[in-house]
Amino acid sequence: MNCQIILFVDSSMIGGIETHIVELHKLLSKNNVSCSVLFYKNHGNNDFYTLLDKQSIRYDFLQGTPSSLIKQLRRYDDNTVIHTHGYKAGILGRLACKLTHKHCISTYHAGDAGTGKMWLYNKLDLWLSCLSTNFAVSEQISKTIKNATLLENFIDIKEPPTVNFFSSPLRIGFVGRLSYEKAPDIFYTLAESMQNSNNVMFHLFGDGPMRNTIPQLENLHYHGLTNREDIWHQIDVLLICSREEGLPMTLLESMAHHKIVISSPVGAIPSIIKNNTNGLLMKTGDAQECQNCINALLIQSPDQKSAMAQAAYVMLKERFSGKNQFLLLQNAYTAKSRLRL
């Protein structure tokens, strides 16, 4: 492709969007597409900047003002495509692209409507979707957006490591933002209810507004924000107890690392996990059901656990390696029927 892709984002922590951006850069680079990241503002998100440096991903910062964004877009030539991620970058990016005659692509990652100001921002993000070519990471999200194409998340897949399911205790992990929609409170309740079990241990990775609600429990270890590659060797099972989701990158990452997934039936997850085949899919995702799933895993043999993880890995390679997703991106980036003023 004879174009330059600018991944525009306003990022203050490492989450699903940030992980997606890293994987998207890998996919584009693998296909010889020029790509870099543009931050609306430097929020001191040093863990993410360090990760970008480690991956040799070029990035730059604006001053956190609409005028600095417009000025920067005017510096780009006509072969530059702006690809926004997140509601703030989406809103500002589309308006600025309209003013500067730039081609704008937007990926919608979140399925939660939010409350208060967040609700208003999400509504504005949806209203302005007519100004861009749109992708959504799940069917559920795509139905709320004008002319959105499903673009499932993807991941650079390597051969899985050898995982020892003979070890005890079974290590259960929560990986994500500590916010209501991700339901860390369900994870806390689960850990508290299983304090007397010597067969399980709980590990919590992430940060967010609910950090101060973490209980002090002997079987619950809080690791905070952690390098993604340093997470997976510390857990055997990823527990997704979210109330709302799109298609979480943590789900794909865990499968790529040969981990077993237990998940609530939210977003695109039911289209991925086949219960008792490549993971455990709950009906509601409350603490009691989480505990029932863990107890069911505990009585399975190591070979049964390994077979479940292997089935997930095989499915991942077939569906989420990025091959099909790149074809959709290529078509959008090079489309001649671009938005006109």
Side-chain angles (χ1 to χ4, degrees):
M1 287 190 293
N2 185 29
C3 60
Q4 174 187 209
I5 311 302
I6 304 297
L7 305 178
F8 181 49
V9 67
D10 187 51
S11 172
S12 59
M13 63 175 292
I14 298 181
I17 289 178
E18 288 74 19
T19 305
H20 175 92
I21 285 173
V22 172
E23 294 300 327
L24 177 54
H25 188 280
K26 290 180 184 177
L27 180 64
L28 295 178
S29 297
K30 184 187 298 184
N31 288 277
N32 301 312
V33 179
S34 176
C35 177
S36 63
V37 178
L38 179 64
F39 291 96
Y40 184 61
K41 183 179 180 180
N42 186 343
H43 288 284
N45 190 4
N46 295 321
D47 289 332
F48 187 39
Y49 308 150
T50 299
L51 175 60
L52 296 179
D53 289 333
K54 184 178 179 181
Q55 297 289 336
S56 299
I57 297 175
R58 294 180 292 114
Y59 59 93
D60 200 0
F61 301 101
L62 299 175
Q63 286 72 53
T65 62
S67 61
S68 65
L69 172 59
I70 292 170
K71 184 177 181 180
Q72 182 64 36
L73 295 192
R74 284 176 172 157
R75 293 193 182 107
Y76 297 135
D77 62 29
D78 291 338
N79 290 322
T80 300
V81 178
I82 310 302
H83 190 161
T84 75
H85 300 269
Y87 70 88
K88 188 171 184 178
I91 294 168
L92 294 170
R94 286 182 217 107
L95 293 173
C97 283
K98 182 175 177 64
L99 290 172
T100 57
H101 302 266
K102 291 295 184 291
H103 185 192
C104 186
I105 308 287
S106 290
T107 295
Y108 286 79
H109 297 265
D112 55 300
T115 59
K117 289 184 177 180
M118 185 65 70
W119 177 87
L120 181 60
Y121 292 146
N122 282 328
K123 280 295 184 183
L124 184 57
D125 193 22
L126 294 176
W127 291 335
L128 293 175
S129 63
C130 60
L131 299 180
S132 55
T133 300
N134 303 310
F135 290 113
V137 299
S138 74
E139 286 281 6
Q140 182 181 356
I141 296 174
S142 69
K143 292 176 182 177
T144 67
I145 303 162
K146 183 179 178 63
N147 298 325
T149 299
L150 175 64
L151 181 76
E152 293 183 311
N153 278 329
F154 47 87
I155 190 170
D156 184 26
I157 302 173
K158 302 178 177 65
E159 288 304 310
T162 301
V163 177
N164 179 16
F165 285 111
F166 289 88
S167 62
S168 183
L170 192 68
R171 301 169 299 173
I172 312 297
F174 176 104
V175 182
R177 179 172 167 79
L178 304 184
S179 55
Y180 178 78
E181 70 278 3
K182 300 293 185 181
D185 52 302
I186 293 178
F187 192 78
Y188 309 156
T189 301
L190 172 65
E192 189 171 12
S193 68
M194 300 191 74
Q195 285 185 92
N196 296 326
S197 174
N198 295 322
N199 297 322
V200 292
M201 193 63 67
F202 296 88
H203 296 267
L204 184 66
F205 300 87
D207 201 353
M210 294 180 69
R211 178 179 179 179
N212 293 333
T213 65
I214 301 173
Q216 298 295 316
L217 302 172
E218 289 188 4
N219 65 339
L220 176 61
H221 299 280
Y222 177 55
H223 300 268
L225 286 175
T226 306
N227 187 307
R228 308 291 285 198
E229 292 301 317
D230 294 333
I231 292 174
W232 305 111
H233 71 275
Q234 301 185 64
I235 67 173
D236 306 303
V237 177
L238 173 69
L239 177 60
I240 300 174
C241 42
S242 301
R243 296 180 172 95
E244 296 175 332
E245 278 290 357
L247 198 174
M249 287 296 296
T250 52
L251 171 67
L252 306 185
E253 289 179 276
S254 64
M255 288 179 168
H257 286 85
H258 233 234
K259 306 304 175 183
I260 293 174
V261 177
I262 300 174
S263 180
S264 53
V266 292
I269 295 174
S271 72
I272 299 170
I273 296 181
K274 305 306 176 187
N275 193 37
N276 288 314
T277 300
N278 61 3
L280 295 175
L281 185 67
M282 296 182 283
K283 293 181 179 179
T284 60
D286 60 22
Q288 183 58 58
E289 194 175 9
C290 290
Q291 185 170 343
N292 293 342
C293 286
I294 292 171
N295 287 333
L297 268 184
L298 288 172
I299 63 175
Q300 288 190 2
S301 69
D303 286 343
Q304 287 175 309
K305 296 186 184 77
S306 182
M308 189 179 295
Q310 179 62 23
Y313 178 78
V314 170
M315 180 278 305
L316 186 75
K317 288 187 69 174
E318 293 175 352
R319 182 171 165 184
F320 298 103
S321 65
K323 293 179 181 178
N324 295 331
Q325 289 88 337
F326 177 73
L327 294 176
L328 291 172
L329 290 165
Q330 183 181 41
N331 182 61
Y333 290 153
T334 59
K336 294 181 179 179
S337 56
R338 298 181 178 178
L339 296 172
R340 299 293 184 184
L341 290 177

